[in-house]
Amino acid sequence: MAVSRDACGNYYCSFVYDDAEQHQDQDPKENTRKKREQRPMREDGTMAFDLGIKTLATGVTDQGRFYHIGGFKGYRYYNKQLDKLRSKRDRCKKKSRRYIHLSKVYKRVSERKRNKQRDCLHKASHLIAGKLAERAVVIGDLSQRQMVMKKKESETPKERNKRRIRNRMVYNDWGLYGFVQMLEYKCLRFGKELYIISERDTTKMCSACQNKQDMPLWKRTYRCSNENCGLVMDRDENSAVNIRERFLARLGPHT
Ligand SMILES: [Zn+2]
């Protein structure tokens, strides 16, 4: 028997046993996989996701149901620890006992952070690929995104801090690219189709009247500036609806 522990502190016991019912030529892994696939799948169902920093994934189905998948929350907790450790270490003499010790602790903490984040992304992608019923999963193409804030000519200390935090999140912590990779292989495994489409203007555009307006990152709610429309909607939800509509329009008339 093997006892193991996962990142959340849950313990698992694994053991081998003889299953009298099982045919010799059957792979036990195959067995569980088939069970999972038996979840009801809506063959013509579509689910579109907006991927982001604040909320990892905001989704909307073709039936108009919304999903919010939060993602990893502990950046600040870990980053604070890591910053402290690094500054402590950098004040020590290189190669000294304390320096080496602090380096080890730093490594351990950053590994813990990475594991925790990966675990979150795995769970979220598993939810989308394995648990939700819609067969088609649509996401926006991340490579078109410009997420990193540029330095302004004259920025206040607060703005500077904000820019540094944001850029750090994009480069080190965000893990969205890894998330898309996980989605890719999990969708394949669960028999779903993953579509990656252009997300140009999906945040700027009103999902009701197609009016476009600027949406700086701090605006969390979309308030349509078109008087005749007046749509008020969560920023990510609005974007998810646009991605869904764009995908459905691309497919042409339904048969
Ligand atoms: Zn509108």
Side-chain angles (χ1 to χ4, degrees), residues 38-238:
Q38 276 166 9
R39 281 178 177 281
M41 177 118 64
R42 288 180 48 233
E43 290 295 328
D44 55 349
T46 305
M47 170 136 238
F49 284 96
D50 173 76
L51 306 182
I53 300 184
K54 282 267 157 76
T55 312
L56 177 64
T58 306
V60 61
T61 68
D62 53 315
Q63 295 175 320
R65 188 170 169 189
F66 286 100
Y67 289 94
H68 297 260
I69 300 168
F72 181 48
K73 285 272 160 31
Y75 296 118
R76 221 177 271 178
Y77 166 79
Y78 282 108
N79 285 345
K80 231 163 113 183
Q81 275 191 45
L82 290 171
D83 285 345
K84 213 179 234 168
L85 279 167
R86 200 171 38 220
S87 78
K88 259 188 193 168
R89 186 192 66 183
D90 290 346
R91 265 176 278 149
C92 298
K93 216 176 120 187
K94 263 198 182 149
K95 303 266 169 73
S96 67
R97 259 173 66 189
R98 192 165 155 73
Y99 183 93
I100 291 167
H101 169 72
L102 287 170
S103 294
K104 269 186 194 155
V105 179
Y106 184 90
K107 224 173 129 188
R108 205 161 56 216
V109 174
S110 62
E111 198 175 304
R112 209 177 298 149
K113 178 178 126 187
R114 258 200 316 276
N115 286 343
K116 198 110 200 191
Q117 186 196 9
R118 275 192 75 80
D119 195 54
C120 277
L121 296 179
H122 268 298
K123 276 183 182 144
S125 54
H126 186 87
L127 175 80
I128 294 171
K131 298 258 160 82
L132 301 180
E134 286 73 21
R135 184 180 165 84
V137 178
V138 189
I139 55 173
D141 185 359
L142 295 178
S143 63
Q144 298 170 339
R145 257 192 223 190
Q146 286 199 305
M147 289 305 303
V148 180
M149 282 172 157
K150 287 195 191 82
K151 194 177 173 180
K152 280 189 210 155
E153 290 275 316
S154 58
E155 58 179 7
T156 63
K158 202 179 160 191
E159 280 174 333
R160 175 170 173 265
N161 210 13
K162 212 170 162 190
R163 180 173 56 83
R164 282 176 53 190
I165 290 171
R166 165 69 41 70
N167 292 357
R168 180 178 192 164
M169 282 180 86
V170 173
Y171 286 133
N172 302 337
D173 298 332
W174 205 15
L176 263 195
Y177 292 95
F179 182 63
V180 172
Q181 280 179 343
M182 288 177 193
L183 260 183
E184 266 169 17
Y185 79 73
K186 281 187 181 150
C187 281
L188 203 69
R189 189 181 140 189
F190 287 101
K192 292 200 175 184
E193 307 275 355
L194 180 71
Y195 298 92
I196 299 175
I197 65 166
S198 161
E199 59 171 11
R200 203 191 148 98
D201 293 334
T202 46
T203 28
K204 286 183 186 170
M205 199 168 75
C206 167
S207 59
C209 71
Q210 272 73 52
N211 176 42
K212 276 183 211 161
Q213 67 188 43
D214 264 350
M215 282 297 285
L217 280 165
W218 54 267
K219 272 191 189 168
R220 301 309 307 166
T221 309
Y222 191 99
R223 289 172 205 282
C224 185
S225 56
N226 179 356
E227 294 166 26
N228 302 323
C229 172
L231 177 92
V232 178
M233 201 176 187
D234 174 79
R235 171 202 181 92
D236 299 333
E237 287 186 0
N238 178 62

